[in-house]
């Protein structure tokens, strides 16, 4: 039986309405994905296409496939794409200059050719036997039917593919792996190091006037030994030459000692 | 057999529309009350009173805040990607409501003269549907972070999406045990399967892991790294104001109510009364089941608030390590145990053999954990001696002697 005639015979009105609303949206987003400049917009439009596809799966009584399509492709794969693209920045857009000569024309020709090939093949495709029908296939429930097919008839293919995926993940980890030469420092060790080595005191710079008799901004703080701390006064004030002499504000005994 | 499902499937179109509206109103009212409830409870925990001016007990406070928020100026930063900036909060706010479509909120009841149940629809993959909606909801956060065109929102968006994706794995795995026991992914079936024992008791480890990961999933304290004020200003919504910010706010609270409702459905028997109180389910023409459901959701929400009032925020790497290296492996091991047990039960193994198997697993687990603790204790000794006795902090010497006596070190330690 021809695929086109199946579609014509079996499409019901609500499904047709859904199709004629969603299909243009999907086609437009798919085209937009190719045309828009920013990579993130492309990724978003692709996500729209994927969700539209999932809705079609659900409408065709394959709820498990539809939901998994959203969880896996939209939720995980597309999100990882987006992750990478986001790190590129908001203003970056792809350069439209050709790097290989004649690339654009050959790409258009090639894709149009493949498209024609696919359309001509699909329009003449036949199942070769009567289709079983959803009632029979989904008889004991959609999820149960898929589980049964996947884990009995196709269990070998399923396991091989999962082994392949795990190998790919491990390969990526090996490629990105770097042997540590020194043990990683813990937060505690880092903090202790910072305290010991830092040029800036851990507690911050002393405020002006600390330990002195006045705490105006132009009076440097006194260090515990009585000498002025230059870092406690703003550099601007020092540059203007408005720095007060801290020695005049020293404690009494020291003052007297200075006058003697 | 499944009367609730048949009732839902028999709904006329207008009733579906009315139920949709009711679910929406329920969520919005829940959000308004939840904000008030949270502020009052946290205030109590901090020995304050909390909002008590607007309306009786301050009940209308969040409504007033909402009106104020809506009247504020709506800013769009110059560096923002305008279209995505507007779409992001809309994605967040719409997806969070969608999860409620499959939550069974009451048993069979009469609604406008129709026999039905307070649940919008039932699909065979209901729980997966909730997960998928949540994963689309992450787009709202990521896009908000990216489109704001500034650094803090971008970092916040990245953080929160990494967090939500990681904790979604732990969450999904903790649901597997429930699926194995209920033999279905439909929310109605799961609730019905719990008429004897709640899964919170039968599948206690799954319940705990779900409870932890749902806090991570909703970006709430102590896992609210995406909005860590000290590090990232406001996180992904730093640049948002007015109604767009209100949408994010709404989404956050509806999400919390959503994961609480899912936890209620999966682990606390949904709308069923607690064991021993089954006679209450027929009160008010069946509507009392809705009250049970609501009480359980509020309990979960109270735990959310309690956590926020009690725990400090985790460091980001600790948080991710906890998710990937503790929750997920523990979950996988637990699922294997559950699967084996379930296989034996379904194939008619005797109760004693199952108990022996369970006991053996428990013994192995305890032995393993004690060995691990010992090796960790040994390692701890080594590292402690390596870092031991840090040099004193570089403090400048004082000009005069303040303390005239010093206690010898040995003596001090003896005391």
């Amino acid at each position: 039986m021809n695929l086109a005639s199946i579609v014509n015979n079996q499409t019901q009105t609500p499904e047709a309405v859904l199709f004629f609303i969603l299909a243009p949206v999907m086609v437009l987003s798919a085209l937009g994905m190719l045309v828009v400049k920013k990579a993130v917009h492309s990724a978003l439009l692709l996500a729209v296409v994927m969700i539209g596809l999932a809705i079609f799966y659900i409408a065709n009584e394959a709820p498990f496939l539809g939901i998994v399509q959203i969880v896996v492709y939209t939720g995980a794969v597309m999100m990882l794409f987006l992750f990478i693209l986001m790190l590129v920045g908001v203003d970056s857009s792809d350069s439209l200059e050709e790097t290989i000569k004649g690339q654009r024309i050959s790409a258009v020709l090639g894709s149009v050719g493949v498209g024609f090939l696919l359309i001509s093949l699909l329009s003449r495709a036949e199942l070769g036997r009567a289709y079983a029908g959803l009632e029979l296939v989904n008889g004991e429930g959609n999820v149960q039917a898929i589980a049964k097919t996947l884990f009995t008839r196709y269990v070998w293919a399923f396991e091989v593919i999962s082994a392949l995926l795990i190998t790919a993940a491990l390969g990526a980890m090996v490629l990105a792996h770097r042997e540590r030469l020194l043990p990683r420092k813990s937060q505690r060790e880092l903090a202790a190091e910072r305290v010991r080595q830092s040029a800036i005191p851990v507690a911050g710079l002393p405020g002006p006037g600390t330990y002195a008799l006045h705490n105006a901004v132009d009076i440097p703080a006194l260090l515990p030994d009585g000498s002025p701390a230059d870092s406690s006064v703003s550099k601007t004030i020092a540059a203007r030459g408005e720095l007060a002499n801290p020695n005049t504000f020293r404690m009494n005994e020291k003052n007297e000692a200075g006058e003697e | 057999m499944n009367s609730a499902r048949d009732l839902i499937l028999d709904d006329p179109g207008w009733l579906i529309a009315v139920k949709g509206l009711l679910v929406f109103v329920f969520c919005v009212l829940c959000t308004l009350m939840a904000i008030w409830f949270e502020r009052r409870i946290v205030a109590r925990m901090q020995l304050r009173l909390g909002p008590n001016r607007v309306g009786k007990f301050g009940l209308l406070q969040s409504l007033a805040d909402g009106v104020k928020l809506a009247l504020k100026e709506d800013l769009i930063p110059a560096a923002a990607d305008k279209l995505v900036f507007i779409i992001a909060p809309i994605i967040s706010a719409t997806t969070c409501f969608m999860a409620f479509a499959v939550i069974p909120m009451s048993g069979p009841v009469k609604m406008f003269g129709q026999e039905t149940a307070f649940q919008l629809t039932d699909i065979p993959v209901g729980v997966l549907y909730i997960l998928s909606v949540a994963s689309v909801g992450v787009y709202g956060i990521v896009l908000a972070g990216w489109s704001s065109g500034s650094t803090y929102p971008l970092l916040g968006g990245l953080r929160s999406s990494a967090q939500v994706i990681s904790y979604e794995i732990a969450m999904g795995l903790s649901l597997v045990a429930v699926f194995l026991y209920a033999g279905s992914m439909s929310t109605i079936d799961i609730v019905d399967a719990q008429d004897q024992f709640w899964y919170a008791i039968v599948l206690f480890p799954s319940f705990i892991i779900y409870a932890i990961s749902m806090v991570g999933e909703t970006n709430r304290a102590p896992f609210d790294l995406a909005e860590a004020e000290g590090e990232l200003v406001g996180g992904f919504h730093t640049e948002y104001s007015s109604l767009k910010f209100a949408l994010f706010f709404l989404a956050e609270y509806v999400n919390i109510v959503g994961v609480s409702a899912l936890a209620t459905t999966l682990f606390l028997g949904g709308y069923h009364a607690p064991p021993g109180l089954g006679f209450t389910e027929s009160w008010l023409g069946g509507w009392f089941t809705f009250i049970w459901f609501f009480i359980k959701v509020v309990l979960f929400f109270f735990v959310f608030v309690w956590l926020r009032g009690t725990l400090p925020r985790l460091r980001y790497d600790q948080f991710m390590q906890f998710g990937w290296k503790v929750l997920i492996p523990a979950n996988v091991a637990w699922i294997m145990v559950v699967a084996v047990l379930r296989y034996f039960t379904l194939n008619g193994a005797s109760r004693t053999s199952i108990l022996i198997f369970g006991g053996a697993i428990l013994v192995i687990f305890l032995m393993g954990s004690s060995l691990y603790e010992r090796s960790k204790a040994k390692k701890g000794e080594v590292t402690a001696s390596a870092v031991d006795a840090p040099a004193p902090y570089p403090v400048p010497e004082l000009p005069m002697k303040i303390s005239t006596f010093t206690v010898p070190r040995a003596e001090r330690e003896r005391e």
Side-chain angles (χ1 to χ4, degrees):
Chain A
M1 201 186 282
N2 200 308
L3 267 181
S5 66
I6 297 173
V7 172
N8 283 337
N9 290 339
Q10 299 229 322
T11 310
Q12 292 162 343
T13 326
E15 204 183 330
V17 171
L18 179 74
F19 179 82
F20 283 113
I21 293 174
L22 215 53
V25 172
M26 280 175 67
V27 171
L28 284 181
S29 346
L31 285 177
M33 188 195 96
L34 300 172
V35 174
V36 291
K37 275 187 183 174
K38 283 186 186 169
V40 171
H41 290 172
S42 266
L44 278 184
L45 289 169
L46 187 57
V48 171
V49 175
M50 284 171 168
I51 293 177
L53 205 57
I55 294 175
F56 278 135
Y57 286 148
I58 296 171
N60 283 315
E61 298 194 27
F64 184 75
L65 187 60
I67 297 293
V68 166
Q69 159 92 7
I70 294 183
V71 173
V72 175
Y73 285 99
T74 319
V77 176
M78 215 47 230
M79 189 53 80
L80 288 183
F81 276 21
L82 208 59
F83 234 73
I84 310 298
L85 294 177
M86 269 168 49
L87 293 174
V88 179
V90 73
D91 281 328
S92 69
S93 49
D94 283 339
S95 145
L96 289 178
E97 273 175 39
E98 281 184 303
T99 43
I100 306 168
K101 216 177 179 190
Q103 187 187 12
R104 221 171 280 178
I105 295 167
S106 51
V108 167
L109 285 179
S111 46
V112 166
V114 171
F116 270 117
L117 210 61
L118 276 179
I119 289 170
S120 71
L121 278 176
L122 281 179
S123 61
R124 281 183 287 149
E126 286 186 16
L127 290 172
R129 58 185 163 80
Y131 57 93
L134 277 174
E135 286 81 18
L136 190 67
V137 174
N138 280 352
E140 47 189 327
N142 178 251
V143 182
Q144 283 85 346
I146 288 181
K148 207 166 207 173
T149 323
L150 207 58
F151 289 107
T152 54
R153 195 169 163 194
Y154 295 112
V155 69
W156 178 243
F158 183 74
E159 292 298 330
V160 167
I161 288 176
S162 55
L164 181 73
L165 283 177
I166 290 174
T167 317
L170 281 179
M173 279 166 73
V174 168
L175 284 179
H177 184 70
R178 189 165 46 108
E179 224 27 84
R180 259 193 185 284
L181 296 175
L182 298 169
R184 191 194 168 114
K185 280 176 184 161
S186 73
Q187 193 176 23
R188 188 191 169 139
E189 286 165 327
L190 283 173
E193 201 169 82
R194 213 158 32 235
V195 168
R196 237 173 273 137
Q197 295 180 347
S198 162
I200 306 167
V202 187
L205 294 170
T210 310
Y211 293 129
L213 291 184
H214 297 258
N215 62 355
V217 281
D218 57 343
I219 297 172
L222 295 182
L223 291 176
D225 64 348
S227 60
D230 289 334
S231 57
S232 69
V233 176
S234 162
K235 276 176 193 157
T236 322
I237 293 176
R240 280 199 212 132
E242 291 173 358
L243 202 62
N245 181 10
N247 288 328
T248 51
F249 301 109
R250 276 197 177 173
M251 292 168 108
N252 275 337
E253 310 140 32
K254 297 264 178 178
N255 241 348
E256 284 161 16
E259 280 166 10
E260 276 170 11
Chain B
M1 178 205 159
N2 230 325
S3 59
R5 171 174 301 152
D6 297 336
L7 288 174
I8 292 167
L9 292 181
D10 280 346
D11 278 346
W14 62 268
L15 190 57
I16 296 174
V18 168
K19 273 203 248 176
L21 188 66
L22 280 180
V23 168
F24 179 76
V25 169
F26 173 76
C27 293
V28 174
L29 280 182
C30 264
T31 305
L32 285 181
M33 289 301 103
I35 297 169
W36 170 81
F37 181 76
E38 177 175 24
R39 291 179 63 182
R40 291 287 285 198
I41 297 287
V42 166
R44 284 279 152 190
M45 288 176 179
Q46 298 167 348
L47 304 177
R48 297 183 285 119
L49 284 177
N52 60 356
R53 296 282 143 174
V54 191
K56 195 85 180 148
F57 308 119
L59 270 170
L60 298 178
Q61 181 68 48
S62 11
L63 193 67
D65 286 347
V67 171
K68 191 186 99 180
L69 205 52
L71 295 176
K72 290 215 167 194
E73 188 186 355
D74 198 356
L75 292 168
I76 295 183
D81 187 314
K82 209 172 166 192
L83 187 66
V84 182
F85 190 78
I86 295 169
I87 289 175
I90 298 175
I91 294 178
S92 256
T94 45
T95 49
C96 63
F97 284 106
M98 286 169 72
F100 277 88
V102 294
I103 302 274
M105 300 199 218
S106 84
V109 288
K110 254 204 156 81
M111 201 185 267
F112 304 105
Q114 286 272 343
E115 276 282 327
T116 179
F118 192 17
Q119 177 182 2
L120 201 51
T121 181
D122 177 67
I123 50 176
V125 286
V127 181
L128 282 191
Y129 161 79
I130 294 178
L131 278 186
S132 76
V133 168
S135 69
V136 175
V138 186
Y139 273 85
I141 296 174
V142 175
L143 293 179
W146 174 78
S147 65
S148 296
S150 73
T151 316
Y152 287 133
L154 182 67
L155 289 175
L158 279 175
R159 260 192 186 190
S160 87
S161 49
Q163 170 177 343
V164 173
I165 290 172
S166 328
Y167 274 68
E168 216 170 63
I169 298 173
M171 195 180 203
L173 284 176
S174 66
L175 303 181
V176 171
V178 174
F179 296 157
L180 282 175
Y181 260 76
S184 170
M185 296 187 206
S186 143
T187 45
I188 286 191
D189 288 341
I190 291 172
V191 169
D192 281 345
Q194 294 179 75
D195 53 354
Q196 285 197 318
F197 289 109
W198 289 356
Y199 285 152
I201 302 161
V202 185
L203 303 169
F204 188 68
S206 290
F207 174 60
I208 290 296
I209 292 172
Y210 178 85
I212 294 172
S213 56
M214 79 181 186
V215 181
E217 168 93 8
T218 45
N219 285 333
R220 287 282 298 188
F223 300 153
D224 56 344
L225 305 141
E227 310 165 21
E229 299 88 1
E231 302 162 28
L232 293 173
V233 194
F236 63 89
H237 57 58
T238 306
E239 302 288 353
Y240 280 88
S241 55
S242 189
L243 267 183
K244 294 202 202 75
F245 174 73
L247 285 181
F248 278 124
F249 213 78
L250 179 74
E252 181 183 339
Y253 279 86
V254 174
N255 265 329
I256 295 170
V257 179
V259 288
S260 305
L262 186 63
T264 306
T265 306
L266 295 178
F267 294 103
L268 291 192
Y271 54 77
H272 283 307
L277 291 173
F279 59 90
T280 55
E281 287 184 19
S282 54
W283 291 1
L284 301 176
W287 276 105
F288 210 78
T289 49
F290 177 68
I291 294 178
W292 280 123
F293 172 81
F294 187 69
I295 288 174
K296 290 171 189 173
V297 171
V298 171
L299 267 180
F300 270 108
F301 187 74
F302 176 77
V303 174
F304 267 105
V305 177
W306 193 5
L307 288 176
R308 189 191 146 183
T310 317
L311 296 175
R313 187 179 292 132
L314 261 75
R315 217 172 60 204
Y316 189 67
D317 57 327
Q318 288 171 335
F319 170 72
M320 283 309 230
Q321 238 173 24
F322 180 64
W324 285 98
K325 295 188 180 170
V326 178
L327 286 187
I328 292 176
N331 221 333
V332 171
W334 168 243
I335 286 170
M336 282 167 73
V337 173
V338 168
V340 172
L341 278 178
R342 190 74 188 142
Y343 179 78
F344 283 152
T345 344
L346 286 182
N347 284 310
S350 66
R351 189 167 283 255
T352 43
S353 62
I354 290 173
L355 280 178
I356 289 170
F357 175 76
I361 296 274
L362 196 68
V363 168
I364 291 173
F365 172 74
L366 288 178
M367 276 165 61
S369 67
S370 79
L371 279 178
Y372 176 72
E373 284 297 318
R374 267 189 210 178
S375 70
K376 210 171 82 174
K378 264 185 196 164
K379 242 189 225 165
E381 275 167 28
V382 174
T383 46
S385 60
V387 195
D388 208 18
Y393 290 143
V395 180
E397 275 178 42
L398 292 171
M400 52 228 158
K401 266 192 185 164
I402 288 176
S403 78
T404 49
F405 61 94
T406 48
V407 187
R409 197 183 174 83
E411 234 176 88
R412 227 186 315 167
E413 275 169 3
R414 224 174 293 141
E415 283 167 20

